[in-house]
Amino acid sequence: MSSITMEATTILPILKKKLAFLSGGKDRRSGLILTIPLCSDQTSMEELGSTLDYLLGIPSQKCKARGFTVIVDGRKSQWNIVKTVVLMLQNVIPAEVSLVCVVKPDEFWDKKVTHFCFWKEKDRLGFEVILVSANKLTRYIEPCQLTDEFGGSLDYDHMDWLNKRLVFEKFTKESTSLLDELSIINDSDKTSPLDKDKPADWTFLPSFDPETVLQTGHELLSELQQRRFIGSEGGGGGGQGAPAWCPMSEELLAQPQVMKLLDSLREQYTRYQELCRQRNKRTQLHEIHTKVMQVVNWFEGPGCDQLKTQWTIGDSIRTSQALQQKHEEIESQHSEWFAVYVELNQQIAALLNAGEEEEVEELRVLQQQLSDVCYRQASQLESRQNILQSAHCFHSTAQDLSQQLDSLLGSLCVDVAPADGAAIQQSLKLLEEKLKTVEGSLQALREKGQVVLEQMGNQPSWSEDDKETPAEEAKENIQHIQAVMEDMQLRKQRCEDMVDVRRLKMLQMVQLFKCEEDASQAVDWLGELLEALLKTHLRLGDDSQETRTLLDKHRKFVDVAQSTYDYGRQLLQATVVLCQSLRCTTRSSGDTLPRLHRVWKQFSVTAEERLHRLELTLAFHTAAEKVLQEEEQAGGEELFEEVDTVGKTLLDRLTIPVIFPDGTEQYFGSPGDMASSAETIRERLLLVEERRLQLQEGAVLQKEEEELEHQEAGLDVIGEELNEGEEEGLQDEELERGTQDC
């Protein structure tokens, strides 16, 4: 590989001007063709010299030894410039130039040639110079080796060649530098291997990315091989037997150099990758060990200290919330280290799957140590969090229970002044519900307190060697929980006692209102009985049997009213006793008793009047029936007089109203009802009178009959006396006769 003294990037603007170029064509001696296309503009000899220096540094020495054929295209330039260029070739490449073909214009320079014959100067120049027209250039060079501006068929793209040259030089520079660096790195690993526990932070990286350089080289090689393949397939104008020709020879495109560099680079890069893998492995092991120790030291140090200082559970919701917030901050700090633990665990698991035997053992020890510490710390965090949550629930329940007890106590301290029994029942129901709620809350408080005590008793130890816990603080927490539960129990017991007293008082008040209500109801019932007595108890009976039935019903009716009156009076007496017990006066008992007495007196007067009327009626019907039923007058005129007297008395009584003790009057039923009853009495009186008349007529007839019978009896007596006189006369006569006979 030839050394390049000049890079295309240093003279890139000059190379873009295409002052000279190597098209890849060759002369009949296989020498490279160097083309210098001159133009009418002023050509800078310095730039042309730089271009020639760069181009002549590209071919190998072997290629240079075959010599160059230089084509100086002077068709668009002046003669003196052409001559200057030819003379410059003597100074730049005298030994490498074999032939210089100056392409002349068709019409000019003929006169000037005589003044300067290059062939005469061959010995002095060191190469042959010929003047030739473009159409005759094929005498010296095959058409397929000439570009199209000289009538040839060789394709040449100067910018494409320049871009490829830039890529090649960049690849060559980067790959050469990369090879040197990789060689140094690989050799340094052999001469001074890293210690197992020593970090590889000092290992430097190559200046270029090997992957990128390799990719660039492969792309360049593929492009070069493609151009060569196209060129060999395309052939040229050399005919059927012409040898295969490449447009860009291997010497110009440096394909072998690229391949050699790629092979060397792949070899060194493979070694470098293995070296990096080993170093990364050792570095990763060292980093994992360092991070594991950091995590372990933090958990066993600051993390453990943070939790050891957090043992209290607070004495209220506010303090427990503050402790929970503090614990969340501690958990937030721990979560960062737990994230590191998870990452380290994954890394260790990956290394265990691909690690060597001695590394696997070390990694397992590290993993076990890390897991033990992390799980123990996580257990402490979870235990502390559970205790704080349970304590918060306990304090919340205690606060709710305290508020419920305060509310219950407030209700008990307020005197009860309900309006009626329903309001008392509602108040008593609310009181019972509050007491039931307090009992439920106290039971919940006991359960939650027991949970807190159990959690504090089952709290895990900090480590295998440290099994002690802050006994004093734990004891204070237990005493606080027990004290709160005992205090709530005492408060609840006091409230229960007060509730019992209030319940008794409210039940008495309920009984009081019930008695008052029932007493008022008894008064209403008496009033209804009185009204029923006056409005519906009107019949007096059509005969003695019906009257006796009505009389029995009336007595039962009076007994019911008497029971109602006695019941109401007893209720009012109970009301007085309850009022004295409750030390209160009611609004209804003051007027209920007078109302009861007033109604009862009215009922008594009315019932007695009703009784008298029924008794008169019974006496009337009894006497009347006795009169009407007997054929003969048993009692004589006195019985009729009695019926008449009782009937008239009854009729008079029916017209008299009932006079109450307060002076008010009230009639039985309506006037029509009384008229109906009076009509019945009058009808019965008429019947009795008719019977009386009948009896009187019968008595007269009987008397007359008796007189007749008496007269007849007198006559019979007289007759008998006469007969007896006659018989006695006869007997006297007979006696006298007998006497006389004697």
Side-chain angles (χ1 to χ4, degrees), residues 138-206:
T138 55
R139 296 178 182 179
Y140 306 97
I141 303 172
E142 294 295 335
C144 64
Q145 305 296 326
L146 293 174
T147 56
D148 56 353
E149 60 261 40
F150 300 115
S153 59
L154 179 64
D155 292 331
Y156 175 74
D157 187 344
H158 184 70
M159 293 307 298
D160 180 67
W161 173 85
L162 182 58
N163 292 332
K164 294 297 184 295
R165 190 65 192 175
L166 291 172
V167 173
F168 169 73
E169 289 183 0
K170 178 183 179 184
F171 169 72
T172 303
K173 180 180 178 181
E174 292 179 355
S175 59
T176 303
S177 175
L178 184 59
L179 281 173
D180 294 340
E181 294 177 357
L182 292 178
S183 178
I184 293 173
I185 294 173
N186 295 333
D187 293 341
S188 65
D189 184 68
K190 288 183 178 181
T191 56
S192 57
L194 290 175
D195 185 27
K196 182 177 180 180
D197 298 330
K198 183 179 179 181
D201 297 340
W202 57 272
T203 303
F204 59 87
L205 297 176

Side-chain angles (χ1 to χ4, degrees), residues 338-388:
F338 281 125
V340 177
Y341 157 70
V342 173
E343 182 181 357
L344 286 174
N345 202 27
Q346 293 175 352
Q347 294 177 2
I348 292 174
L351 291 176
L352 285 174
N353 294 330
E356 298 178 0
E357 191 170 338
E358 57 179 4
E359 296 172 350
V360 167
E361 186 64 27
E362 180 183 358
L363 287 172
R364 284 178 179 171
V365 172
L366 285 174
Q367 188 180 36
Q368 187 63 37
Q369 182 183 8
L370 182 63
S371 298
D372 291 344
V373 173
C374 290
Y375 281 126
R376 185 165 56 248
Q377 196 72 6
S379 178
Q380 289 290 343
L381 281 172
E382 184 180 5
S383 176
R384 175 63 179 169
Q385 182 181 15
N386 293 336
I387 290 175
L388 288 177

Side-chain angles (χ1 to χ4, degrees), residues 530-541:
L530 175 60
E531 185 177 1
L533 183 62
L534 290 171
K535 300 296 183 183
T536 61
H537 290 214
L538 305 176
R539 285 186 57 78
L540 298 176

Side-chain angles (χ1 to χ4, degrees), residues 71-208:
I71 299 176
V72 180
D73 188 3
R75 290 175 295 178
K76 296 181 181 179
S77 181
Q78 299 177 0
W79 167 250
N80 57 347
I81 296 176
V82 173
K83 181 173 65 172
T84 303
V85 170
V86 172
L87 293 176
M88 186 180 65
L89 291 174
Q90 179 187 12
N91 297 326
V92 177
I93 50 172
E96 289 83 357
V97 178
S98 300
L99 176 63
V100 176
C101 295
V102 179
V103 182
K104 64 178 182 178
D106 294 335
E107 299 177 356
F108 306 103
W109 293 3
D110 290 339
K111 295 181 180 181
K112 297 179 180 180
V113 172
T114 56
H115 297 287
F116 186 81
C117 296
F118 287 109
W119 63 271
K120 293 182 180 180
E121 301 293 334
K122 179 180 180 181
D123 295 335
R124 186 172 65 85
L125 294 174
F127 49 79
E128 181 181 1
V129 180
I130 59 173
L131 297 175
V132 62
S133 59
N135 55 3
K136 295 180 179 180
L137 191 59
T138 55
R139 296 178 182 179
Y140 306 97
I141 303 172
E142 294 295 335
C144 64
Q145 305 296 326
L146 293 174
T147 56
D148 56 353
E149 60 261 40
F150 300 115
S153 59
L154 179 64
D155 292 331
Y156 175 74
D157 187 344
H158 184 70
M159 293 307 298
D160 180 67
W161 173 85
L162 182 58
N163 292 332
K164 294 297 184 295
R165 190 65 192 175
L166 291 172
V167 173
F168 169 73
E169 289 183 0
K170 178 183 179 184
F171 169 72
T172 303
K173 180 180 178 181
E174 292 179 355
S175 59
T176 303
S177 175
L178 184 59
L179 281 173
D180 294 340
E181 294 177 357
L182 292 178
S183 178
I184 293 173
I185 294 173
N186 295 333
D187 293 341
S188 65
D189 184 68
K190 288 183 178 181
T191 56
S192 57
L194 290 175
D195 185 27
K196 182 177 180 180
D197 298 330
K198 183 179 179 181
D201 297 340
W202 57 272
T203 303
F204 59 87
L205 297 176
S207 303
F208 304 100

